[in-house]
Amino acid sequence: MLLKGATLVSLDPPRVEEVDLRIEADRIAERGAALAARAGEEILGLEGRVVLPGLVNAHTHLYGALARGMPGPAKPPRGFLEILERIWWRLDGALDDETVYLSGLVGGIEAALSGTTLLFDHHASRACIRGSLKTLRRALEEVGLRSVLCYEVTDRNGADGREQGIQENVAFSSEPPTPLTRGMVGAHASFTLSDEALAALAAAIRDRSTSLHVHVAEDRVDVEDCHNRFGLGLVERFRRHGLLGPNSLLAHCVHLAPAELEQAQAGGAWIAHNPRSNMNNAVGRAPTRAFVRAALGTDGVDEDMLAEARAAYLGMKETGRNDAADAALALLAGGQRLGAAFFGLRFGVLDPGAPADLVITDYRPPTPIHSENAGTHLLFGIDRSHVRSVMVAGRLVVRDRRVTGVDADAVLARARVAAGRLWERMRD
């Protein structure tokens, strides 16, 4: 395929160029002005439309894709722990194989239509743990997306549930990786994990040569529990168990002290910043000035990374950060660097040899766009409504706003029926 007349915008570093782009197999083969078409090559005339590298969601929960619009609990939750107990833990306990699969499809469709090409998903479904990651992989690969998947290990479902979660992570990570999917080891949060659980998680990580994806200091309850039970900070507790190595993924980190953030990132850990979820759950404002190895996640709010970047910018701007725009774009680009660490591919650039993961938008800049102001066009101009076509590994997974790999209308119709049954199980 040959993309003609594109305005290519990459983030790391900001770069804008009006050139043609040639795609061969799953890679970008050539970039240059006025490239000549070759025999058998499909030509897409873009007439200056903006093309972006595929976007990455560094922390999401696809299992919540069928929660939108569901009835709230009879007694409204007060505080973070009751939000978990009365909403999300009831939801993950009501999921079955069908709704896990449909959640993956619905979330994957939403991601694709938003220009998100890679998802780091943190899954929970305590009634159907075994095989759940393979089910999610099947759904996401049918849509055509990349993912890094794990199961949320916790002690809150007893020793048997904990062991099933560990074995699900081990079994999935033991399978040969596909071109689109990788595995991690997942854990809920320190306040639902015993030392026995941490030891088992560390063994799984060592055996599979992978890393941990875990919630850290999302709410003060996590920090206070660790101090009260173990006399330690969260980072130190995980470090002592050998759980914080290169490419560990720590979600939220709202209430970590500066020294803990520095220690975790110096050891190679990544932080997933989830501003919209933090605001929605009223857990506090994350210390983003101390985020160095960091990326943006949605925590399952949706899969729209452009909206998340705008929320990150506004949150930082509200605190008086004059560098808020640059910092928000760095977080967006951080997801592409994180993805590169897991796939060994140069995500985030639109150069020869890079993976053909890209987003073709209908955005035609109403004012000049160049490397110095590309960020403001992204934060104030482009949104998911501009996403026209999306390519992953050289395949158009969205073409002219229609998902190509699955029948989206049929999936959504099936999901609406299944969601009603899911909500009934939650009430019961």
Side-chain angles (χ1 to χ4, degrees), residues 100-118:
V100 169
Y101 174 61
L102 287 171
S103 295
L105 285 177
V106 169
I109 289 168
E110 181 173 71
L113 293 172
S114 301
T116 302
T117 56
L118 168 56

Side-chain angles (χ1 to χ4, degrees), residues 403-421:
V403 178
T404 63
V406 297
D407 184 339
D409 290 340
V411 168
L412 297 178
R414 180 180 169 189
R416 285 190 289 272
V417 174
R421 293 195 294 264

Side-chain angles (χ1 to χ4, degrees), residues 8-16 326 329 333 370-375:
L8 304 184
V9 178
S10 49
L11 303 177
D12 194 19
R15 179 184 176 192
V16 177
D326 290 341
L329 294 174
H370 45 74
S371 300
E372 288 72 30
N373 71 1

Side-chain angles (χ1 to χ4, degrees), residues 90-250:
R90 291 177 66 83
L91 173 64
D92 88 59
L95 290 165
D96 57 13
D97 289 335
E98 180 192 27
T99 44
V100 169
Y101 174 61
L102 287 171
S103 295
L105 285 177
V106 169
I109 289 168
E110 181 173 71
L113 293 172
S114 301
T116 302
T117 56
L118 168 56
L119 303 167
F120 282 76
D121 186 63
H122 198 271
H123 179 64
S125 55
R126 71 174 185 264
C128 55
I129 297 173
R130 290 190 178 96
S132 58
L133 297 183
K134 289 177 69 174
T135 299
L136 275 179
R137 179 181 64 191
R138 176 164 64 96
L140 291 172
E141 291 195 354
E142 285 177 10
V143 178
L145 300 183
R146 299 186 193 267
S147 64
V148 180
L149 306 178
C150 68
Y151 188 86
E152 176 186 286
V153 172
T154 179
D155 280 301
R156 64 184 172 82
N157 302 321
D160 182 61
R162 178 187 70 211
E163 181 59 26
Q164 286 188 48
I166 290 169
Q167 290 306 313
E168 178 63 10
N169 283 305
V170 169
F172 188 77
S173 297
S174 298
E175 295 192 3
T178 71
L180 296 179
T181 311
R182 300 289 184 272
M184 295 182 75
V185 170
H188 176 242
S190 173
F191 73 92
T192 71
L193 293 165
S194 63
D195 280 346
E196 184 179 2
L198 295 192
L201 287 163
I205 287 168
R206 287 194 303 270
D207 292 345
R208 303 313 316 148
S209 298
T210 185
S211 54
L212 180 71
H213 186 171
V214 60
H215 300 95
V216 176
E218 182 176 0
D219 184 81
R220 291 191 186 279
V221 67
D222 198 17
V223 177
E224 293 165 359
D225 173 86
C226 197
H227 280 294
N228 293 338
R229 281 201 295 162
F230 308 104
L232 297 170
L234 288 164
V235 169
E236 182 61 18
R237 185 181 184 220
F238 285 127
R239 189 195 66 79
R240 289 190 183 187
H241 283 272
L243 290 167
L244 293 187
N247 298 325
S248 301
L249 184 53
L250 314 183

Side-chain angles (χ1 to χ4, degrees), residues 6 23 78 97 188 212 250 269 291-292 301 316 351 359 361 368 370 382 393 396 398 402:
I23 309 299
R78 296 172 300 173
D97 289 335
H188 176 242
L212 180 71
L250 314 183
F291 290 179
V292 179
V301 170
M316 291 186 285
D351 294 331
V359 183
T361 77
H370 45 74
I382 304 175
L396 282 175
V398 176
R402 293 191 64 85

Side-chain angles (χ1 to χ4, degrees), residues 52 55 68 106-116 276 301-308 310 359-363 377-390 398 401 403 412:
L52 306 168
L55 303 172
R68 190 175 301 167
V106 169
I109 289 168
E110 181 173 71
L113 293 172
S114 301
T116 302
R276 287 186 295 164
V301 170
D302 56 27
E303 309 305 329
D304 185 350
M305 299 314 301
L306 294 171
E308 201 69 39
R310 188 169 296 178
V359 183
I360 300 169
T361 77
D362 267 341
Y363 184 70
H377 281 272
L378 275 168
L379 293 172
F380 296 104
I382 304 175
D383 60 38
R384 74 187 301 267
S385 71
H386 292 106
V387 174
R388 184 174 186 87
S389 299
V390 178
V398 176
R401 296 190 171 86
V403 178
L412 297 178

